[in-house]
Amino acid sequence: MVTAAEHLERLAVALDAAGWTVDRRYDGTPLVRVSSSKAPHIGESIGVVI
C-alpha cells in the first residue's frame, strides 16, 4: 500500500520540475506547501487522505 507521504512526494517532485517552490512537511500529518517563487507569502498546503 502506498502511504500519504509517498503520494505527496510524487506530487512534490512533479511540482519542483514545473518550477514551483515546494516545502515538504512529513512529520505529523504529511503536507506539501506549494508557492510561487514570485509570491512566496501566498501558497497552498496539500494533504492526502487514504
Side-chain angles (χ1 to χ4, degrees):
M1 178 184 238
V2 180
T3 67
E6 291 168 327
H7 282 296
L8 287 171
E9 184 58 27
R10 289 181 61 207
L11 176 62
V13 168
L15 290 169
D16 275 333
W20 291 93
T21 301
V22 180
D23 179 25
R24 294 156 172 87
R25 300 176 183 180
Y26 297 151
D27 56 323
T29 301
L31 293 172
V32 172
R33 175 87 178 152
V34 182
S35 60
S36 168
S37 59
K38 296 178 183 177
H41 55 285
I42 300 172
E44 208 51 60
S45 292
I46 301 167
V48 174
V49 176
I50 297 180

